[in-house]
Amino acid sequence: MILNRNLFPKKDSPFRVHMEDSQAVQLISEQLLSIFPPIVNRDLIIVCIGTDRSTGDSLGPLIGSKLEEQPLSAFHVYGTLENPVHAMNLEDTLELIEKKHRRPFIIGIDACLGRMNSVGKITVAQGPIKPGAAVNKNLPEVGDLHLTGIVNIGGMMEYFVLQNTRLHTVMKMATIISASLQDVDKAMTVKNTTRPRFFPSLKSNLFKSEKKEPQL
């Protein structure tokens, strides 16, 4: 869980869309694809941060569980309702990812507290997130890029606010974000499978060039 006011330096202009926007899924997936760098020989990792013991902080695990139910091809997912990634195991999880995966490119996902008029907004931005800021926990930063959902109002009594966040808000955001990531997974899979194969084409051209003209 993070505080919206601490998310980004002033120079950054993250992309935001409200969960009630009918095009939210498409806009988020397009934004993610537009800021993905050329990824060669890297594993794509989604780290969904949060806990199932708090309504407001369950956004990440809900997204992770929804993604786990899908046949993803491009992404590896960490953090579900059954096996959440939270303050107690975040550092160990990041160490595991570094050991297990090849040059991991990480998308961090977490719930967020912000201003009243921002509740319901989903953010996509480059760079890491700082989990635990809303409840004054010192945790490692996560992600090469990140998504956050502003689930409630921040500023005071954060633990109480998280426990009294509307489940409807969290569920709707989880559905939108997971659907967006599924679309990105499909797009990345199609991109990888349709990439021109250099060596077969080279071999074909070599044989073609060596073919002799029939003699008269």
Side-chain angles (χ1 to χ4, degrees):
M1 172 62 62
I2 48 186
L3 282 172
N4 186 41
R5 64 173 179 270
N6 294 328
L7 269 176
F8 315 102
K10 290 182 179 179
K11 64 180 181 180
D12 289 341
S13 26
F15 169 83
R16 290 193 179 99
V17 61
H18 199 278
M19 67 180 189
E20 298 297 345
D21 191 318
S22 60
Q23 294 185 308
V25 171
Q26 179 183 345
L27 292 172
I28 293 170
S29 59
E30 288 177 351
Q31 184 67 19
L32 284 169
L33 288 168
S34 73
I35 61 179
F36 268 175
I39 299 172
V40 180
N41 296 324
R42 301 189 70 176
D43 287 347
L44 300 176
I45 314 296
I46 299 173
V47 179
C48 302
I49 304 163
T51 174
D52 60 334
R53 296 177 182 271
S54 169
T55 305
D57 208 15
S58 65
L59 177 66
L62 278 168
I63 293 169
S65 289
K66 286 177 177 290
L67 292 174
E68 193 178 50
E69 295 170 355
Q70 304 300 318
L72 300 180
S73 299
F75 292 117
H76 304 270
V77 179
Y78 289 81
T80 63
L81 291 172
E82 183 178 3
N83 298 296
V85 174
H86 45 62
M88 301 300 294
N89 65 5
L90 176 60
E91 192 168 349
D92 290 340
T93 301
L94 294 177
E95 289 179 1
L96 174 64
I97 290 171
E98 288 295 331
K99 292 178 181 178
K100 185 177 179 180
H101 297 281
R102 178 180 52 184
R103 299 176 59 223
F105 182 91
I106 298 175
I107 301 174
I109 300 177
D110 199 1
C112 177
L113 297 177
R115 297 185 179 90
M116 181 179 294
N117 61 358
S118 295
V119 174
K121 289 185 178 180
I122 298 166
T123 299
V124 180
Q126 299 185 57
I129 52 176
K130 180 69 175 176
V135 289
N136 298 316
K137 290 184 178 179
N138 185 23
L139 298 174
E141 295 184 339
V142 180
D144 297 281
L145 64 86
H146 64 268
L147 293 95
T148 59
I150 303 176
V151 297
N152 213 330
I153 305 167
M156 58 182 298
M157 300 178 66
E158 276 78 13
Y159 280 108
F160 179 80
V161 170
L162 291 174
Q163 294 290 347
N164 288 275
T165 295
R166 288 197 66 197
L167 181 59
H168 167 75
T169 301
V170 179
M171 288 294 294
K172 187 158 188 175
M173 283 190 179
T175 299
I176 291 170
I177 294 173
S178 60
S180 300
L181 289 166
Q182 289 170 46
D183 286 351
V184 172
D185 182 83
K186 292 175 183 176
M188 295 291 290
T189 303
V190 169
K191 182 179 179 180
N192 289 335
T193 56
T194 57
R195 185 179 297 170
R197 299 175 62 191
F198 173 73
F199 288 108
S201 62
L202 175 62
K203 183 178 179 181
S204 175
N205 289 333
L206 285 173
F207 279 118
K208 188 180 295 184
S209 63
E210 291 175 358
K211 188 176 180 181
K212 295 181 180 180
E213 294 294 331
Q215 294 182 356
L216 297 176

